[in-house]
Amino acid sequence: MRHVYYCPLRWADMDSLGHVNNVTYVDYLQEARVDMLSVHAPASGGEELAEGVVVVRHEVEFRAPLLFRPEPVRIESWVTDIRAASFTMAYEIVDEQPDGGRRVYTRARTVLTPFVFAQERPRRIRPEEKEVLERFLEPWDESEGAR
């Protein structure tokens, strides 16, 4: 199941060409992740995964420039892998086209690990957190990146 978040574009997100600046995409991904895990989680138990994690790795593929506009952009997010002490999320920043197609601006993946900030150490994923993550589990399609 993919989570859908409609992210507003802000005037400050633009570069001098009117495109959303590349570094801003990572902020958009974080907003979608927090919305998915804290606001719209399908069950309780995953709240700490919304903000109590650290990023281990980001992979961002820019596929088309996103121009500033007043309408929000659609961000789809899901989980592609769950391990004992980390999980991987995938994202697509897209627009649905009137003909049913999709314009993909960005495809990305983020590896995250739960973290105990007071002790400055990673921790394992709890069973109730794993249950929440499993509801968003969908494989990453490598062929989508070849377009």
Side-chain angles (χ1 to χ4, degrees):
M1 170 175 82
R2 291 188 181 192
H3 172 72
V4 175
Y5 173 69
Y6 290 95
C7 185
L9 306 181
R10 296 162 291 261
W11 185 259
D13 296 346
M14 279 192 309
D15 63 19
S16 61
L17 300 174
H19 303 125
V20 171
N21 191 302
N22 288 358
V23 297
T24 304
Y25 286 80
V26 176
D27 288 338
Y28 291 174
L29 303 180
Q30 178 175 278
E31 287 182 38
R33 180 179 73 243
V34 169
D35 187 70
M36 179 179 119
L37 294 173
S38 67
V39 178
H40 294 102
S44 63
E47 297 84 3
E48 283 189 53
L49 294 177
E51 297 184 33
V53 296
V54 293
V55 172
V56 176
R57 179 177 57 249
H58 279 303
E59 297 174 18
V60 182
E61 176 189 359
F62 300 101
R63 309 223 11 219
L66 177 57
L67 300 175
F68 181 79
R69 82 263 182 119
E71 301 82 26
V73 69
R74 178 185 177 106
I75 302 176
E76 297 177 3
S77 52
W78 65 99
V79 175
T80 62
D81 187 41
I82 305 168
R83 306 224 171 185
S86 69
F87 62 102
T88 304
M89 287 192 59
Y91 314 84
E92 288 184 338
I93 299 177
V94 301
D95 276 330
E96 299 283 331
Q97 302 295 309
D99 65 1
R102 295 163 49 92
R103 179 174 177 93
V104 179
Y105 299 104
T106 303
R107 293 189 87 224
R109 288 191 286 190
T110 304
V111 178
L112 302 132
T113 190
F115 202 78
V116 181
F117 289 96
Q119 299 172 5
E120 297 185 9
R121 66 169 181 81
R123 68 170 176 79
R124 298 177 78 75
I125 294 174
R126 297 183 184 110
E128 62 273 14
E129 293 170 333
K130 183 176 181 184
E131 187 177 318
V132 168
L133 293 172
E134 285 174 338
R135 294 184 183 195
F136 293 105
L137 196 58
E138 178 184 320
W140 175 260
D141 187 352
E142 292 289 343
S143 67
E144 288 293 316
R147 287 187 192 168

